[in-house]
Amino acid sequence: MNHQHTNSFKKFIHYFWIAISGKETEFTSGSIRKAIFMLSIPMILEMLMESIFALVDIAYVSKVSVNAVATIGLTESVITLVYALAIGLSMAATAVVARRIGEKDVDGARIAAVQAISLGVVISVVIGIIGIFYAKDILALMGAEPDLIAEGYGYTQFLIGGNITVVLLFLINAIFRGAGNASIAMWALVLSNGLNIILDPMFIFGFGPIPEMGVKGAAVATNIGRGTAVIFQLGILFFGWGKIKLVAKDLVLNLKVMINLIKVSLGGIAQFLIGTSSWIFLMRIMSEFGSEVLAGYTIAIRVMMFTLMPSWGMSNAAATLVGQNLGAKQPDRAEQSVWKTGKYNAWFMGTVSLGYLIFANSIISWFNITPAVVKSGALCLQVISIGYIFYAYGMVVTQAFNGAGDTRTPTKINLISFWLFQLPLAYISALVLGWGATGVFVAITLAEVLLAVLAMVWFKKGKWKKVQV
């Protein structure tokens, strides 16, 4: 028996190493389970890096002041609008690049990559200018008090002003993922977040010649870390070992491809905007219950993001598998990949939800020991994690639609689940029925359950198999 375990472990280590070194890039034939593993592992690690950074950031900033933490909560809920554009474009880039790679059309994949990056640059420059000049107004609009604006606007200014680093990091990684080079995307984030973790305390608290910048320092460190990673990504696109290699003659505008990307990305942007704008409204409802409850909620959401990252990794793997298998004219294999990935995700999320139900108080008190903050954060973790198994399937199936280039269906599902169901329910239960923060948490959980059910019903109809990108 032990011999068998040793062999399984050796096999796991062997495949794990192949996955993170990126040697395996053929996902349209052979074992589906192995394909999910090869794509998921680097994507999970990539997402974990992203969320480790988010946690480290909040841990350092918590030492500055409660206002500093609240600034991050408010700025992040606004910068998610930037993420919406970046993620929408990324979904389109992954879908189109994966489809071309599945069709064995590497030139087509290269052209799509260049157009996606050009679009990203234009969008982020416009947003950056708004962020630099209107940081104080943005915070005021989010309901921040004057002392918070005075302390925190530098953070908002730097983070939104330097958003090009976020947009390009997302986008180029999406191109690598669509091509099946998930390990390159992972190493880019290892670099970005590793730098971030080192630079964060230096810029927040001061170090040698670097002055103490407080919460603004967190944004400066973030931009330097992400900017360095973008330079690394561009280096690999032009001189590297990925499937997609750009040369000078590729750097031309191709309107037909660009318009196709914009079309596919509109659904992705709408999906994410619906999701995030509902988060902004939830934040607004939560701010009615004071800074401490809001801080508890912000910490709980950060912790959840950390454990959701492996799920996102698996969901992204499903998107790439669907795109490449549809390109290779294997719709049934694409569908099998999705149900298998969903099952693995449900096992993972089920385990996490048990952890939250049992250890919620201890987890929140690692970040803050104020009793009201711990109480609010722990309750948030426990209530939301009840719906985790549904969420596992919901995420994978939604990403599968996106990988097929069918970004419209998930947009409809998000619209029903978040705007027509979650927001009215949160408002009524929290403010009208007087359930307070609990009302918001219950609304979040029920909306995720509804989303999963709708996604699975529509996925089974199979219309996504016929989408052209």
Side-chain angles (χ1 to χ4, degrees), residues 167-235:
V167 173
L168 290 185
L169 193 62
F170 267 46
L171 248 186
I172 303 174
N173 270 356
I175 292 164
F176 287 140
R177 281 197 294 265
N181 295 131
S183 67
I184 301 177
M186 174 194 82
W187 289 113
L189 276 192
V190 168
L191 174 65
S192 141
N193 295 328
L195 272 174
N196 233 318
I197 288 166
I198 297 165
L199 296 174
D200 239 2
M202 292 183 179
F203 282 94
I204 293 173
F205 306 114
F207 180 81
I210 302 168
E212 181 181 337
M213 294 185 188
V215 67
K216 180 167 98 176
V220 176
T222 301
N223 281 336
I224 296 174
R226 285 178 172 154
T228 311
V230 170
I231 295 165
F232 165 76
Q233 288 173 320
L234 291 170

Side-chain angles (χ1 to χ4, degrees), residues 138-330:
I138 291 170
L139 283 174
L141 197 69
M142 285 302 295
E145 285 148 18
D147 61 325
L148 188 146
I149 296 175
E151 186 182 333
Y153 83 93
Y155 176 85
T156 310
Q157 205 170 31
F158 265 88
L159 208 63
I160 301 179
N163 80 90
I164 189 163
T165 57
V166 179
V167 173
L168 290 185
L169 193 62
F170 267 46
L171 248 186
I172 303 174
N173 270 356
I175 292 164
F176 287 140
R177 281 197 294 265
N181 295 131
S183 67
I184 301 177
M186 174 194 82
W187 289 113
L189 276 192
V190 168
L191 174 65
S192 141
N193 295 328
L195 272 174
N196 233 318
I197 288 166
I198 297 165
L199 296 174
D200 239 2
M202 292 183 179
F203 282 94
I204 293 173
F205 306 114
F207 180 81
I210 302 168
E212 181 181 337
M213 294 185 188
V215 67
K216 180 167 98 176
V220 176
T222 301
N223 281 336
I224 296 174
R226 285 178 172 154
T228 311
V230 170
I231 295 165
F232 165 76
Q233 288 173 320
L234 291 170
I236 286 179
L237 275 179
F238 285 98
F239 312 107
W241 63 89
K243 231 175 198 180
I244 295 180
K245 241 195 167 121
L246 300 181
V247 286
K249 71 172 172 54
D250 294 327
L251 303 180
V252 287
L253 287 184
N254 181 319
L255 279 178
K256 189 179 161 207
V257 175
M258 194 176 267
I259 288 165
N260 181 36
L261 272 169
I262 292 172
K263 267 190 205 152
V264 179
S265 64
L266 283 178
I269 292 169
Q271 246 173 82
F272 198 78
L273 277 179
I274 291 165
T276 45
S277 56
S278 63
W279 276 113
I280 292 180
F281 282 117
L282 292 178
M283 263 298 195
R284 190 71 191 84
I285 296 173
M286 290 297 292
S287 68
E288 294 291 314
F289 309 117
S291 267
E292 288 176 334
V293 173
L294 187 62
Y297 173 70
T298 302
I299 293 170
I301 296 298
R302 277 288 172 104
V303 171
M304 286 192 170
M305 283 304 173
F306 184 73
T307 47
L308 283 178
M309 288 306 169
S311 289
W312 270 112
M314 281 188 249
S315 310
N316 284 336
T320 299
L321 287 169
V322 167
Q324 289 198 7
N325 283 304
L326 287 178
K329 305 271 182 286
Q330 300 186 45

Side-chain angles (χ1 to χ4, degrees), residues 73-154:
L74 294 175
T75 306
E76 292 234 313
S77 47
V78 175
I79 201 141
T80 41
L81 301 175
V82 178
Y83 288 160
L85 295 167
I87 286 175
L89 255 178
S90 304
M91 283 175 186
T94 298
V96 175
V97 169
R99 189 72 70 99
R100 297 294 162 267
I101 294 288
E103 291 163 356
K104 306 272 186 275
D105 172 12
V106 180
D107 287 347
R110 282 214 315 265
I111 294 167
V114 172
Q115 306 315 306
I117 294 169
S118 315
L119 268 171
V121 170
V122 172
I123 292 168
S124 51
V125 168
V126 174
I127 292 169
I129 293 169
I130 297 171
I132 291 167
F133 291 107
Y134 297 105
K136 289 180 176 172
D137 307 314
I138 291 170
L139 283 174
L141 197 69
M142 285 302 295
E145 285 148 18
D147 61 325
L148 188 146
I149 296 175
E151 186 182 333
Y153 83 93

Side-chain angles (χ1 to χ4, degrees), residues 19 39 72 89 108 112 126 135 185 195-196 209 214 268 278 315 323 335 355 365 370 382 390 411 422 424 442 457:
L39 278 168
I72 288 197
L89 255 178
V126 174
L195 272 174
N196 233 318
S278 63
S315 310
E335 185 169 1
S365 54
T370 314
Q382 288 168 327
F390 283 93
T411 305
Q422 185 189 59
V442 169
V457 169

